[in-house]
């Protein structure tokens, strides 16, 4: 199951972010992103106990340029010692998560929270949801990229001043509604530690932990510009 979910996440993520189509490697996938601080990412296909030290070392040793990311589906404490000089490793694990979209027909769209304005639109295969606060600022947002039977939720955010009001839950329900309407039967996402609780409360389950590492250039020791 892990490998199937990884492939689904990669396929949906590249659509969501407008990245290049993934290149299949013997160990996983290479995705060209094209940003200065996120030029390319290598995603290993194995998860948890199936992640092999030799494979991680081989892929990491092939990278020398700053701005290349490595995604490994195992906990950071296990993966970090396998990476050589010039790698920054996020000490907190991410989580690859999945959920079935079982509602037939598609569930009704959730009601808009009082005082907020909803805007939903689709372009390039991606559906975006925006909740604007009464003053017009962004209160919460998210997007989802259906790729056939699977849809990848991405960039789910709630502004600090608007947290603990159910807005994240609303965004996730709205995205699920849009995905089911387009024929998706399964949802996939990569969660932060802060987001995991919300997703689990909505029925998502953890498939594997996720280590995010960024090459800073051999010996430079610089800090990453972003996740």
């Amino acid at each position: 199951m892990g490998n199937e979910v990884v492939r689904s996440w990669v396929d949906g993520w590249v659509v969501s972010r407008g990245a290049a189509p993934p290149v299949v490697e013997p160990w996983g996938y290479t995705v060209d992103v094209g940003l200065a601080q996120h030029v390319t990412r290598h995603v290993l296909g194995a998860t948890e106990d199936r992640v092999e030290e030799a494979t991680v070392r081989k892929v990491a040793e092939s990278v020398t340029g700053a701005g290349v990311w490595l995604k490994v589906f195992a906990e950071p404490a296990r993966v970090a010692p396998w990476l050589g000089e010039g790698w920054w490793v996020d000490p907190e694990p991410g989580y690859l998560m999945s959920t079935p979209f079982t509602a037939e027909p598609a569930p009704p769209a959730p009601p808009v929270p009082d005082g907020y304005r909803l805007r939903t639109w689709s372009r390039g295969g991606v559906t975006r949801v925006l909740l604007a606060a009464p003053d017009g600022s962004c209160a919460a947002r998210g997007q989802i990229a259906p790729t056939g039977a699977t849809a990848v939720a991405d960039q789910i955010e709630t502004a600090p001043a608007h947290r603990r009001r159910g807005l994240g839950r609303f965004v996730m329900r709205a995205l699920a509604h849009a995905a089911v309407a387009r024929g998706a039967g399964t949802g996939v996402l990569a969660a932060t530690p802060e987001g995991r609780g919300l997703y689990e409360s909505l029925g998502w389950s953890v498939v594997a932990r996720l280590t995010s590492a960024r090459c800073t250039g051999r010996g430079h020791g610089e800090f990453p510009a972003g996740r």
Side-chain angles (χ1 to χ4, degrees):
M1 176 182 177
N3 289 344
E4 295 176 359
V5 177
V6 171
R7 180 61 200 251
S8 296
W9 179 60
V10 170
D11 286 343
W13 190 92
V14 300
V15 173
S16 178
R17 301 295 181 96
V23 176
V24 178
E25 309 280 7
W27 40 261
Y29 311 94
T30 293
V31 176
D32 287 322
V33 183
L35 301 176
Q37 300 298 329
H38 195 159
V39 183
T40 299
R41 62 166 46 189
H42 300 306
V43 183
L44 271 66
T47 58
E48 297 292 356
D49 293 343
R50 296 182 180 179
V51 175
E52 298 179 349
E53 177 180 354
T55 302
V56 175
R57 288 186 179 275
K58 179 179 179 180
V59 176
E61 288 171 359
S62 71
V63 177
T64 57
V68 176
W69 286 79
L70 179 62
K71 301 288 184 174
V72 183
F73 293 99
E75 62 179 337
R78 180 177 170 219
V79 175
W82 301 342
L83 303 179
E85 181 183 5
W87 284 93
W88 173 87
V89 180
D90 191 336
E92 291 190 327
Y95 300 93
L96 181 66
M97 304 184 72
S98 181
T99 190
F101 293 144
T102 57
E104 285 292 344
V112 180
D114 290 342
Y116 293 91
R117 177 177 63 85
L118 172 65
R119 180 76 188 277
T120 302
W121 69 98
S122 297
R123 179 167 295 181
V126 183
T127 296
R128 291 175 170 83
V129 170
L130 168 67
L131 272 179
D135 64 0
S137 63
C138 177
R141 69 166 307 278
Q143 58 198 59
I144 197 161
T147 54
T150 305
V152 172
D154 189 27
Q155 296 188 317
I156 313 301
E157 303 174 59
T158 301
H162 297 273
R163 291 174 182 169
R164 301 190 181 280
R165 301 182 186 181
L167 303 189
R169 180 178 293 270
F170 171 87
V171 168
M172 290 301 297
R173 289 178 60 200
L175 293 175
H177 171 78
V180 171
R182 291 181 56 183
T186 302
V188 178
L189 59 77
T192 62
E194 294 78 14
R196 177 182 174 181
L198 167 64
Y199 306 135
E200 286 182 329
S201 74
L202 292 169
W204 294 68
S205 58
V206 173
V207 176
R209 290 163 291 186
L210 171 60
T211 294
S212 294
R214 176 180 177 272
C215 183
T216 61
R218 297 296 185 226
H220 292 300
E222 61 190 55
F223 291 98
R227 187 179 179 87

